[in-house]
Amino acid sequence: FGSLKSLPWCVSHRGRAPGSQQKGYSSGSVLRGGPRLEGHASVLTRALPVEAEEFFVDEGALLSQNKFSIPPEALLERAKEVFAKLSLDPLGVGPELSDDFIGAGPLAGPLDKDSFLNAITQVDFLKGFPDTKPNYHFLRVDPFEPNRVWVQMRVRATNTGECMGPPTNKALEFPPESYSLVFDEAGKVKKFTFGFVMDRLIGPT
């Protein structure tokens, strides 16, 4: 099953998936749920060599040129809906996916829609790890691909149920991982990237 074990449909989340409530752009900061640099951008700019300033894109300016049918704020909300569905009812995610859907992880895929849905039915991870939390954070719209939402996860779970064997009662702490959803004009997911570890030295898992 490879890296599919760390997918968000393997994690339960009570309530709404956390993310950005931000409604605008400022100082080149991307639309996201992370910390802002307001009041400090000018100091940071002065600290940069003039020739280096062009290395850092103005994310807000790029997003303002967005021609995708779904505005960034609405796309973030749509992404939260899909991630919540994957976490709470993974077997019901099929209607959220486009017919030409592709799923890909570091060890799995690319998978078409049928292969992807078949893969996620192979192991009932929620049964084995009922207290799992995905800890979604840093949801953000990609300024270069305005139909793409990136998110980071730090999954925590305890094996208190049967899943590929008897329960061990061991706690799992996954390293930070990067996921993304790419949407079509109708709001369906046409690409899902999952399980890309950002720092494998973090956590005991």
Side-chain angles (χ1 to χ4, degrees):
F1 209 58
S3 64
L4 289 175
K5 290 189 292 184
S6 66
L7 293 171
W9 56 76
C10 297
V11 293
S12 59
H13 187 279
R14 295 178 178 83
R16 186 176 178 182
S20 172
Q21 299 300 318
Q22 187 175 330
K23 298 301 181 183
Y25 319 116
S26 68
S27 303
S29 63
V30 72
L31 186 67
R32 71 176 85 186
R36 304 284 295 281
L37 296 178
E38 290 178 346
H40 302 285
S42 60
V43 175
L44 293 176
T45 301
R46 287 199 299 270
L48 289 174
V50 174
E51 62 272 20
E53 292 182 4
E54 64 182 36
F55 299 160
F56 301 89
V57 301
D58 187 333
E59 299 167 2
L62 286 176
L63 285 171
S64 69
Q65 300 169 17
N66 170 29
K67 299 186 185 309
F68 186 54
S69 61
I70 305 175
E73 296 91 344
L75 195 65
L76 285 176
E77 294 303 313
R78 174 65 180 135
K80 291 179 190 177
E81 291 176 358
V82 175
F83 279 120
K85 186 74 169 181
L86 287 167
S87 296
L88 296 170
D89 182 22
L91 302 185
V93 77
E96 311 294 340
L97 311 180
S98 67
D99 292 337
D100 59 348
F101 169 87
I102 293 293
L107 300 176
L111 303 171
D112 62 23
K113 183 176 180 178
D114 289 339
S115 299
F116 178 81
L117 293 174
N118 179 64
I120 67 177
T121 63
Q122 299 303 306
V123 178
D124 190 351
F125 204 84
L126 289 176
K127 180 180 178 181
F129 299 83
D131 69 340
T132 307
K133 295 180 63 177
N135 293 312
Y136 296 120
H137 57 285
F138 288 148
L139 276 83
R140 56 208 182 273
V141 176
D142 190 321
F144 293 97
E145 296 178 80
N147 62 330
R148 186 175 205 146
V149 173
W150 293 93
V151 67
Q152 291 175 214
M153 297 172 62
R154 287 197 180 216
V155 179
R156 302 290 184 269
T158 309
N159 182 205
T160 56
E162 186 171 335
C163 181
M164 299 183 291
T168 64
N169 294 312
K170 291 184 178 180
L172 300 181
E173 180 182 347
F174 287 78
E177 297 172 283
S178 177
Y179 287 62
S180 76
L181 297 170
V182 180
F183 293 89
D184 63 17
E185 297 284 344
K188 298 283 188 179
V189 178
K190 67 178 185 178
K191 183 192 290 184
F192 178 36
T193 62
F194 51 82
F196 289 89
V197 173
M198 303 176 72
D199 184 351
R200 64 185 179 83
L201 300 181
I202 294 178
T205 304

